[in-house]
Amino acid sequence: MTRGLFISFEGIDGAGKSTHIERVARLFREAGRAIVLTREPGGTPLSEKLRELVLHEPMDALTEALLMFAARREHLVQVIEPALARGDVVLCDRFTDATFAYQGGGRGFDWQVLAKLEHMVQGLPDGALRQPELTVWFDLDPLIAAERLAAARVPDKFESQPADFFAAVRAGYAKRQAENPSRFARIDAAQSMDAVGADVGRVVSDWLRQAAA
Ligand code: TMP
């Protein structure tokens, strides 16, 4: 049976990742793979309800972190683990790195507490930690991201944060990359849409070649 693959896509709001995720999905579909295209917070009916709360209600920083992990637990158990067991390709628009970047970096919430929650929620029976095998990080200057967002949509609780919040989120992603260098692929999201798309295609193909070797 084909082995399941787990890829996540990350970046500050406005970095433009959504369009590219769809293109990666097409790449895998054309190769005959079954795809699960999903997102966090969300991906199950309960997790989508938690998403509504966490994106729109003001709340304490620990409550926010716990809700992110609660939604993730449900998502893992109901969707991600069964998909990987079937041998599907799971493409996830954000995963745990977003919690470290937004709650840890952006909100300044304790990194070690997040690491404990990560172990609790993503721990596997053999003691390993469920993580994406590849994380594509769309890295962008927050000022450029803010310009793009202003033209795009009505902001939610996170999107309406000031640029210095996103600078801290970006630093959170950089810290996660430094802690997990083999899993992270950084894409310069300030480039044109086509150039970003080409980089994403290259990163995914290179990684697949390596994974198959
Ligand atoms: P989205 O708009 O890319 O779907 O992401 C939803 C928002 O939730 C985005 O502003 C990032 C934020 N978020 C967190 O703060 N922590 C998390 O763990 C996740 C997954 C998302």
Side-chain angles (χ1 to χ4, degrees), residues 4 13 18 38-39 90 101 109-110 115 122 128 162 164 166 185:
D13 294 276
S18 302
T38 187
R39 68 171 180 182
V90 176
F109 189 76
D110 190 307
Q122 293 157 235
D164 60 349
F166 287 108

Side-chain angles (χ1 to χ4, degrees), residues 13 17 40-41 51 55 68 72 93-95 98-99 102-103 158-159:
D13 294 276
K17 63 188 156 48
E40 291 212 347
R51 176 186 174 95
L55 292 197
M68 293 296 181
R72 178 160 307 129
D93 187 344
R94 302 190 185 282
F95 194 65
T99 314
Y102 279 78
Q103 281 63 55
F158 292 104
E159 289 166 349

Side-chain angles (χ1 to χ4, degrees), residues 22-35 89 91:
E22 196 40 64
R23 283 165 73 169
V24 174
R26 217 176 310 135
L27 206 130
F28 279 106
R29 275 196 206 102
E30 283 165 10
R33 296 293 303 255
I35 302 289
V89 178
L91 302 177

Side-chain angles (χ1 to χ4, degrees), residues 125-147:
D126 64 1
L129 204 60
R130 174 63 73 202
Q131 290 289 21
E133 292 155 88
L134 172 66
T135 296
V136 183
W137 171 30
F138 294 84
D139 186 30
L140 183 62
D141 182 327
L143 295 176
I144 303 176
E147 275 170 25

